Each structure stands twice: as C-alpha cells, then as structure tokens.
Amino acid sequence: MGCGGGRAGLRTREGLAWTARFPGIANGGAALPDCLIDGEICALNKDGSADFGLLQLTLSDHKTGELVFFVFDLLFADGTDLRGQPL
C-alpha cells in the first residue's frame, strides 16, 4: 500500500491496481502519513484465523468490508528508504 496526501493505493505483487476492489482498506490507509508498506489482505474466520477459502468467497461476492490488512514491512516513510534497516 502506498499512502500520502490523504490517499492510499493498493497494488498486487504483480503491480495490478486493486484500490477499487478494497475501498475500506484504502480509506483506512489514507489516514497514514507518506509511506509504502507491504502486507496481506485476509479474511478471518469465526476463530480469528486467516481463511483463504473465505477470502476467495468474499472476493467473488464483492463483499470486502470485513477484510483486514496485515502489515509486514514499512518500506518507505516520509521519503526515507527503510528497506536496508534492521528489524
């Protein structure tokens, strides 16, 4: 997710623009400062575990409001490249 200027954009690892598919997640990211983050969109089952089958069903039904975005890495923040920094 790329964020900044009150906007956020979501792209797949292949570079496909998916912001329109996940408006709730993009709206949440719009509140972040300028940054580029790596993460994964997941559907959670009743136990709170990620469920790939449920994600597929949610995407096919176009009901993405309950999906969550798990952040893995902060790659850039305020123009600074953080990729070489230790965890």
Side-chain angles (χ1 to χ4, degrees):
M1 176 185 307
C3 306
R7 298 181 59 185
L10 298 162
R11 294 199 173 269
T12 67
R13 65 182 61 140
E14 291 86 23
L16 300 174
W18 275 21
T19 306
R21 285 187 86 169
F22 304 101
I25 292 171
N27 289 339
L32 297 173
D34 290 344
C35 63
L36 181 62
I37 52 181
D38 183 20
E40 188 78 25
I41 295 173
C42 296
L44 303 180
N45 63 23
K46 292 178 184 177
D47 298 326
S49 299
D51 186 323
F52 185 72
L54 182 57
L55 175 64
Q56 297 288 61
L57 180 64
T58 301
L59 291 173
S60 66
D61 288 344
H62 303 286
K63 296 180 180 178
T64 60
E66 297 297 317
L67 298 178
V68 295
F69 183 74
F70 288 101
V71 175
F72 299 146
D73 292 306
L74 177 61
L75 304 171
F76 291 85
D78 294 324
T80 302
D81 185 348
L82 302 172
R83 294 174 294 171
Q85 297 297 315
L87 295 175

